[in-house]
Structure formats: C-alpha cells, structure tokens
Amino acid sequence: MNAPTTEPTDAAGRPVRLGLRENRLQFTLLVLVNVCVGGLVGLERTTVPLIGTETFGLTSDLAVFSFIIAFGTTKALTNLAAGALTARFRRKQLLLTGWLIGIPVPFAFAWAPSWGWIVAANVLLGLNQGLTWSMTVNMKIDLVGPARRGLATGLNEAAGYTAVGVTALFTGYLATTHGLRPVPELIGVVFVAAGLALSLVVRDTAAHVALELAHHAKPLPTGESTGLKATFARTSWRNRSLRGASQAGLVNNLNDGLTWGVFPLLFTDHGLGLAAVGLIKGLYPILWGLGQIPTGHLADRIGRRPLIVTGMLVQSAGFVLALALLERPLLAGILSAVLLGLGTAMVYPALIASVSDHAHPAWRANALGTYRFWRDIGYAAGALVAGILADAFGLNATVIAAAVLTAGSGLLAARWITEHPTHR
C-alpha cells in the first residue's frame, strides 16, 4: 500500500501510517497487554479442574467442566458483541472495560467458598477475555495494514498463549509447594494491574482504520450491509472461505476446551503429580504461542490454507499419541502436547489472517467477532462433549472423539477455504 501524498494525522495531530515498523511502539505495547490477557486465563489451566474434584468434591466430569462451559459461552458471545460495539465505542474504551471486569477474577479463584463462585468468576473471565483479546487483535491488524496481517496476528497470539502456558506451568509448580489455593491464583492480580496500566497508555487505532478504508483497493459493493446480522450470516455460512475458517476455529478450540478439562484428570488418574500435569498443560500453549511467530510470517508467504489444513491434521495425531502411549503417561502427555501445540500454532494466525483477507475493512471487525464467536464457542462445546462422553464412556472416549473431529475439520478446511488473490 502506497503512502498518501498528504500525510494524514489523528485527532491529536500525530501522523498516521500503516505498517509494523511505523507503529512498532504501539504494537509492542499491545503485545505486552496480551501477555497479561493470556496470563489471566492461564491461572486456571492446571489447578481449577483439580479444585473441583479435590476441594469441592465434585464427582461428575460434566460438573467439573461446567466452568469451561461458562467461560467459553461468555467469551464467544462477548467476541460477537465486541465487533458490533466497535461501531459505537473506540477500541481502547472496550479494552479498558475488559480489564475493569477482570479485577475480581483472581480473588474469586483464590477464595471462592463454593463451586458456583468459580463458575461465576469464569463468566467474568469470559467477558474480560472477549473484550481484551478481541481489541488487541483488532488494534494490531489496524496498525499494520493488509501486508503483514499474518505476522501481526501471529505475534499477538504468540504473546497471549505463551503467557497462558508459562502461567499454567508456574501455577502447577506453586500448587505442588503451596497447595491448590490461594497462592497460585493470586499471581493474577499482577496481570490485571499491569494489563490495566498498559491499556491506559495505548493509543486508539480509529485513524488507522480510516486510512486503510480511504485507500482500500476494493470499494464496498453497493448495497452490501456492514451490520452484525448480515456479517454474521456472511461469515458463518454464506461465504465459503469464511465458513471454512469458522468451522476450523470452532473445532480447534473444542480441542483446547476438551484438553483443558480432560488432561489434568486423565494424567492424574495414571499416576502423574501436579508438577508433571502442569508441565503438560504448560507445554501445549507455550508451543502454541511461540510457534505462531514463524507460522504467522509463513502464512504471509505461502498462503493460509496449507497451514490450516496441515495444522488440523497434526493436532489429530496429537490425540492419537496421547492414547497410544498412555502406559507411559508422562511421555504420552509431552508428545501429545508438542503435536497439539505445534498444530495449533500453524492454524491460529492463518485462520485470523484468512478471515481478515476475505472481509472488507468496513465490516472486518464484525467478521472477526463472528469468527471468534464460533472459535471460542468451541471451548464450551469441547467441555460439554467431554463431560457427556467422559461420564458415559470414560475419558479415553473423549480423546478418540477429538481426534476424529479434528481430522474431519481439516478436510473441510481443504475443501472450503480459498486463498485471497494476494496470496496466490
């Protein structure tokens, strides 16, 4: 994209340009914000399923996984609303609102008197994540323009999910030495305070959106609605590529929701301690996070579809290994986490970039909100499927189901997703 003849400015008179290098300071601040976003949700990756069984005495797997259902459903609906809310509020306002909502979360995890309080805290966590993560994604895409979307989303997701993994690993260690509560959960106070402070410093990106709109090569077709209802239909089923991305995102996070609840119970049942479970639960999102830096860049060079299809098939193989090697549970958990992490790293930035490619800037925020709705409803779907299958057939059945669903999703992605002309 060529720079305009007269350099545009924002409301404060600062020059506005698109590009990663041109906006490196604001981009870096947003990366740090997303480290805090990921750290807050990483608090419960290792300990909360075990708090349900050991602290509150829950015996039903579906009851244990109810916190994931609450989180996933709330986050998905908030993602959907976030796209529409950007038409009325600035991205920075929504980012700050998300952090204010998240303030009670670590305290509730640390001292909740009943399981219902944990579930309620996950509703707040879902609101927090839906607003803060959505805004960091949108703001980074706004800053860099179309040429570096894959790298931008890769860096954003890398920051968030690496923080998820490191926090999961750290809370597993703290739980081994200090017990399941309250010490492991209180590190979330640091994430909330830092995320809120950094978000106050970040600048809004409305002027960057206006600049891209002014120079977009393809004008908005006459009569094409930019509203949420029309964009939801377009992203969910009417547009073939957007439909392919939405279903792949749903199944990808179904896997995460399933492993979130199932893996701590599965591997403790086979003799592993909290530190080992923390290692498995931490390794998966750490690889998922760090892997998105090269895969995001690769998605800009070779296209989105090869990474999406291959990544889904690699994840499916990860579930197969988890069961095939279960007699050696630590090896099974580590190898499964490696494949799940690497497979997800291939898929995640490529899917967001693909949605951005096929969405006009005028309705891109709503398209990303719709995609993220379907993707994050996968958390709830994964927990629900896992709870029902685990109660009826055992934990192993949930892992088999995930392997089959993931492979099928990869084949659908290969059939439906097409490359944007700039990536052919």
Side-chain angles (χ1 to χ4, degrees):
M1 183 178 294
N2 296 323
T5 304
T6 303
E7 189 172 74
T9 58
D10 62 15
R14 293 180 292 255
V16 176
R17 299 174 183 173
L18 300 180
L20 181 57
R21 180 175 298 174
E22 293 81 354
N23 297 283
R24 57 187 177 274
L25 177 59
Q26 292 301 308
F27 194 94
T28 301
L29 287 173
L30 286 166
V31 168
L32 294 175
V33 171
N34 218 43
V35 168
C36 300
V37 176
L40 188 60
V41 75
L43 286 180
E44 57 178 10
R45 288 283 172 141
T46 300
T47 59
V48 171
L50 300 173
I51 289 171
T53 56
E54 297 182 17
T55 303
F56 295 113
L58 300 179
T59 56
S60 166
D61 290 320
L62 185 57
V64 173
F65 302 158
S66 60
F67 81 96
I68 307 173
I69 297 172
F71 168 80
T73 302
T74 306
K75 187 184 178 197
L77 291 171
T78 306
N79 288 337
L80 188 61
L85 288 170
T86 57
R88 296 190 177 188
F89 303 96
R90 291 186 178 272
R91 283 149 165 68
K92 181 173 178 176
Q93 292 174 317
L94 297 172
L95 181 62
L96 290 169
T97 300
W99 280 117
L100 292 173
I101 291 171
I103 289 173
V105 170
F107 301 101
F109 289 163
W111 289 297
S114 69
W115 184 248
W117 282 72
I118 298 287
V119 174
N122 271 275
V123 172
L124 294 179
L125 183 62
L127 290 167
N128 160 268
Q129 296 285 303
L131 289 174
T132 55
W133 209 308
S134 291
M135 290 309 107
T136 59
V137 169
N138 278 305
M139 292 170 82
K140 286 189 181 73
I141 289 173
D142 295 343
L143 290 172
V144 303
R148 291 290 180 266
R149 283 180 187 142
L151 179 59
T153 55
L155 290 169
N156 184 77
E157 304 301 287
Y161 283 100
T162 300
V164 171
V166 171
T167 307
L169 185 62
F170 190 43
T171 54
Y173 168 76
L174 289 176
T176 301
T177 56
H178 298 283
L180 288 172
R181 297 198 302 172
V183 173
E185 291 76 25
L186 288 179
I187 60 174
V189 176
V190 177
F191 293 127
V192 173
L196 186 56
L198 289 166
S199 298
L200 287 168
V201 178
V202 168
R203 297 174 189 167
D204 192 71
T205 57
H208 294 80
V209 177
L211 177 60
E212 185 180 350
L213 273 170
H215 294 273
H216 197 262
K218 183 179 178 182
L220 185 68
T222 303
E224 183 173 275
S225 174
T226 62
L228 177 58
K229 182 178 179 180
T231 304
F232 185 87
R234 193 181 297 129
T235 308
S236 300
W237 61 82
R238 288 183 179 170
N239 183 294
R240 184 183 181 97
S241 288
L242 293 177
R243 178 175 74 229
S246 294
Q247 67 82 26
L250 187 152
V251 174
N252 183 88
N253 277 23
L254 180 147
N255 293 344
D256 191 26
L258 184 146
T259 60
W260 189 346
V262 167
F263 274 20
L265 303 182
L266 178 68
F267 290 115
T268 53
D269 283 351
H270 283 78
L272 296 187
L274 282 171
V277 171
L279 173 62
I280 293 166
K281 290 301 299 172
L283 187 60
Y284 170 20
I286 286 172
L287 291 173
W288 170 355
L290 292 176
Q292 288 180 83
I293 298 174
T295 60
H297 180 63
L298 192 60
D300 289 330
R301 298 180 69 87
I302 70 170
R304 324 305 192 191
R305 185 170 65 177
L307 289 170
I308 294 167
V309 174
T310 304
M312 296 303 286
L313 297 177
V314 169
Q315 288 181 63
S316 180
F319 285 116
V320 172
L321 278 183
L323 289 185
L325 301 174
L326 200 52
E327 291 185 358
R328 302 174 67 184
L330 183 58
L331 179 64
I334 289 174
L335 291 180
S336 178
V338 168
L339 290 187
L340 286 168
L342 294 178
T344 308
M346 298 170 74
V347 166
Y348 236 64
L351 282 173
I352 298 177
S354 180
V355 173
S356 299
D357 291 343
H358 290 88
H360 192 279
W363 49 271
R364 186 174 63 213
N366 275 335
L368 285 169
T370 300
Y371 160 73
R372 287 168 61 82
F373 165 81
W374 287 117
R375 190 191 70 185
D376 288 345
I377 205 71
Y379 284 125
L384 184 62
V385 167
I388 292 171
L389 288 177
D391 282 340
F393 304 107
L395 294 171
N396 288 14
T398 67
V399 179
I400 294 170
V404 173
L405 282 171
T406 307
S409 176
L411 296 177
L412 281 178
R415 181 175 178 82
W416 285 345
I417 295 176
T418 58
E419 294 293 355
H420 194 266
T422 57
H423 296 293
R424 286 176 181 166

